[in-house]
Amino acid sequence: MSLFRDDGIVLRTQKLGEADRIITLLTRQHGKVRAVARGVRRTKSKFGARLEPFSHVDVQFFSRGSELVSRTLPLCTQVETIAPYGAPIVADYARYTAGTAMLETAERFAENEGQPAVQQYLLLVGGLRTLAAGLHEPHLVMDAFLLRSLAVNGYGASFTDCAKCGLPGPNRFFSLQAGGVLCVDCRVPGSAVPSPETLVLLGALLSGDWETADACESRYWREGSGLVAAYLQWHLERGIRSMRYVEK
């Protein structure tokens, strides 16, 4: 029997029995972890409200084996709030839908329980912090998070230089299969031809150039969001269900 302590983001919760919940978290040291929180659905629960989606928490786990992730789910025995991102996110529909898509994406990229995914964890913490602060439009925060998540998982897209031959940009043709923009010589059938401003926006979101991203016109970020969603679906091999509710 072992005790483990880690900090993480609550991704989702599921009802268990009459008063318990299964909590799914993305943690710093152990990646995706599912654990049982007993009695948290009772009104007198000491930490039930802390284990809601979007919450950044410090959790102590009790495991029956020497490993945190094993055949039986560990128990959440103590929970302390690090940052309550949930309150400002849930209060606004645009933030909530964008944030839900971010949580679902993070879980998809950290499918193997117990396997550290530190970069994905740090991206999620930073993304939720930015979303909760309301510094940028929610859809821009979401798209930036999606692009960077793809990049840290080995699917980074090129929005300037040709993804095949490396020809310096700007290049106009965009291919999901090729991993970004292509030059005239490398163009493949079915390539999209987005606006140059859209490609500039996507490059800014990937690099963190918020001054450029915030100044972008709505028609370009709508086109960019479509490309990001398609690129994400191509590499995950299925869509993110939450994205259908995101305001465009």
Side-chain angles (χ1 to χ4, degrees), residues 12-77:
R12 60 188 174 93
T13 66
Q14 299 167 267
K15 292 180 180 180
L16 179 66
E18 294 183 358
D20 305 338
R21 277 199 179 114
I22 297 176
I23 312 296
T24 302
L25 305 101
L26 180 60
T27 66
R28 180 189 295 270
Q29 300 176 44
H30 300 90
K32 178 181 170 181
V33 173
R34 292 189 308 139
V36 175
R38 289 182 174 168
V40 294
R41 288 163 56 200
R42 296 194 180 102
T43 55
K44 295 182 179 180
S45 171
K46 294 181 179 180
F47 53 78
R50 303 172 195 170
L51 289 173
E52 293 293 335
F54 306 110
S55 297
H56 188 194
V57 292
D58 181 313
V59 187
Q60 179 175 280
F61 300 99
F62 172 81
S63 176
R64 297 185 182 280
S66 59
E67 300 291 334
L68 175 57
V69 176
S70 59
R71 290 184 178 180
T72 58
L73 297 180
L75 301 177
C76 295
T77 55

Side-chain angles (χ1 to χ4, degrees), residues 13-174:
T13 66
Q14 299 167 267
K15 292 180 180 180
L16 179 66
E18 294 183 358
D20 305 338
R21 277 199 179 114
I22 297 176
I23 312 296
T24 302
L25 305 101
L26 180 60
T27 66
R28 180 189 295 270
Q29 300 176 44
H30 300 90
K32 178 181 170 181
V33 173
R34 292 189 308 139
V36 175
R38 289 182 174 168
V40 294
R41 288 163 56 200
R42 296 194 180 102
T43 55
K44 295 182 179 180
S45 171
K46 294 181 179 180
F47 53 78
R50 303 172 195 170
L51 289 173
E52 293 293 335
F54 306 110
S55 297
H56 188 194
V57 292
D58 181 313
V59 187
Q60 179 175 280
F61 300 99
F62 172 81
S63 176
R64 297 185 182 280
S66 59
E67 300 291 334
L68 175 57
V69 176
S70 59
R71 290 184 178 180
T72 58
L73 297 180
L75 301 177
C76 295
T77 55
Q78 289 184 358
V79 182
E80 297 295 335
T81 299
I82 297 175
Y85 297 131
I89 292 176
V90 172
D92 180 81
Y93 181 80
R95 291 191 213 177
Y96 174 73
T97 53
T100 302
M102 290 164 63
L103 295 186
E104 185 180 347
T105 301
E107 183 172 3
R108 291 287 302 279
F109 275 123
E111 283 192 332
N112 298 323
E113 293 186 39
Q115 182 175 321
V118 179
Q119 287 182 300
Q120 186 65 65
Y121 166 79
L122 294 174
L123 271 177
L124 184 58
V125 171
L128 293 181
R129 182 188 302 122
T130 303
L131 193 63
L135 301 176
H136 310 286
E137 291 293 330
H139 59 268
L140 293 179
V141 176
M142 181 191 72
D143 285 341
F145 172 80
L146 299 180
L147 287 171
R148 295 176 197 181
S149 293
L150 283 159
V152 301
N153 285 282
Y155 307 118
S158 173
F159 298 111
T160 52
D161 300 343
C162 178
K164 275 193 173 182
C165 70
L167 180 71
N171 291 290
R172 286 295 310 278
F173 307 103
F174 185 88

Side-chain angles (χ1 to χ4, degrees), residues 151-216:
V152 301
N153 285 282
Y155 307 118
S158 173
F159 298 111
T160 52
D161 300 343
C162 178
K164 275 193 173 182
C165 70
L167 180 71
N171 291 290
R172 286 295 310 278
F173 307 103
F174 185 88
S175 169
L176 303 177
Q177 302 93 318
V181 293
L182 299 173
C183 64
V184 174
D185 293 335
C186 296
R187 179 185 179 184
V188 296
S191 297
V193 188
S195 302
E197 293 85 353
T198 298
L199 295 176
V200 169
L201 167 63
L202 296 179
L205 292 174
L206 182 59
S207 65
D209 180 2
W210 285 106
E211 184 177 354
T212 298
D214 289 336
C216 184

